Every structure is written in C-alpha cells, then in structure tokens.
Amino acid sequence: MLKEIKNNVYNALFVAADEDGQRYAAFESDWNGEYWEATACTESGELIKGETVRLFPVLEHDEEADTWETIGYEIR
C-alpha cells in the first residue's frame, strides 16, 4: 500500500510512496473520482515519462462517526 507523503512535485495534488521508495505524483482524478491518474517520480520531484498508473484509495470506516477515511492507495 502506498502512503501519502509530503508533496515535492510542482502542481501535483499529492505524492504517494510505497515502502521501497517508489513515488507517484497524482495530478487529477478520473471523472467520477474513483481513482487518481499518477506518474512515477524521483525523490527530488522529477517526473519519469511513460510510467503512469492508477491509484485507487484504500478506505477505512469509522463506525462511531459513520465516516470513511483514506488511509493509503493501491495500484490496480
């Protein structure tokens, strides 16, 4: 699972990284908000052309508050 980290990519809405340090910068969601189009990037924030994935949010439900919270992202 990828976790959101400090954004170091110009114009990215967020950057997510896995345990191995692979990073993806998300710039826009699909039309219905189901997933994010993301591009691989380096630690310094440079985009890696040609490496695009879809990041799907991993949600956790808080039963007391009856709300959903995004706890990470997965690539499908």
Side-chain angles (χ1 to χ4, degrees):
M1 181 169 53
L2 292 100
K3 298 281 187 177
E4 194 169 329
I5 60 171
K6 183 180 176 192
N7 184 350
N8 66 335
V9 180
Y10 181 70
N11 281 339
L13 298 173
F14 67 89
V15 175
D18 64 12
E19 298 84 25
D20 299 327
Q22 179 62 49
R23 297 166 184 252
Y24 295 95
F27 293 96
E28 62 182 68
S29 65
D30 72 327
W31 65 274
N32 65 357
E34 183 180 342
Y35 61 85
W36 293 89
E37 291 285 343
T39 303
C41 63
T42 63
E43 190 172 334
S44 63
E46 296 176 44
L47 298 178
I48 301 171
K49 290 189 177 198
E51 291 193 40
T52 303
V53 297
R54 291 179 176 174
L55 298 179
F56 289 82
V58 176
L59 303 173
E60 184 176 81
H61 186 249
D62 179 353
E63 292 184 25
E64 278 187 30
D66 194 27
T67 59
W68 290 89
E69 179 182 346
T70 301
I71 60 169
Y73 300 90
E74 64 184 14
I75 298 172
R76 291 192 209 158

